[in-house]
Amino acid sequence: MSIRVYRFLIVNTILVVIVVSWAVAFFFATVLQCKDPITLWTTFEYARTDCVVTIYFYYAVLITGFITDLLILTSSLPIILRLQMPLKHRVVVAGILLLGAVVCGAGIARFVTFINIGRGIFANIYDLTYFTTPVFA
């Protein structure tokens, strides 16, 4: 096994560990964002006490999710550019994989939407369900 392939395997293993750790961490952060987890499912967001500020939690999820999307998107490009095929074919393969940039674009759009949601929440409009509908629609 060449050193390049070994390095690629190490980088991808690290990326897998990062993504799985990210998912597990935010799963538990979501479930345990209130001192009493039942509160999360039985009360409206504006009526909750002893919980984290949700909008900052959403910002953290979106920013770190976007960063992991970028890492995944760019991880394969160095290998593709070193393939033993004509440049035209390498560009086509890289272009197909770079369609994942649409996911990054969606992440940016969600972040912009959440910034607008945050402005509404900080303006004392507490209907989070109304504001977050465009994010999940």
Side-chain angles (χ1 to χ4, degrees), residues 45-67:
E45 188 128 13
Y46 62 85
R48 294 181 191 150
T49 57
D50 296 328
C51 297
V52 298
V53 179
T54 310
I55 196 70
Y56 297 127
F57 176 71
Y58 289 154
Y59 288 161
V61 171
L62 290 171
I63 291 169
T64 56
F66 177 73
I67 291 169

Side-chain angles (χ1 to χ4, degrees), residues 51-110:
C51 297
V52 298
V53 179
T54 310
I55 196 70
Y56 297 127
F57 176 71
Y58 289 154
Y59 288 161
V61 171
L62 290 171
I63 291 169
T64 56
F66 177 73
I67 291 169
T68 56
D69 289 343
L70 278 179
L71 290 173
I72 292 168
L73 182 66
T74 58
S75 68
S76 62
L77 290 178
I79 297 295
I80 292 171
L81 295 177
R82 285 192 218 113
L83 289 175
Q84 295 179 1
M85 52 172 51
L87 178 63
K88 182 180 178 181
H89 291 205
R90 287 183 284 177
V91 169
V92 169
V93 171
I96 290 169
L97 291 177
L98 286 176
L99 286 173
V102 173
V103 173
C104 294
I108 292 171
R110 287 179 63 204

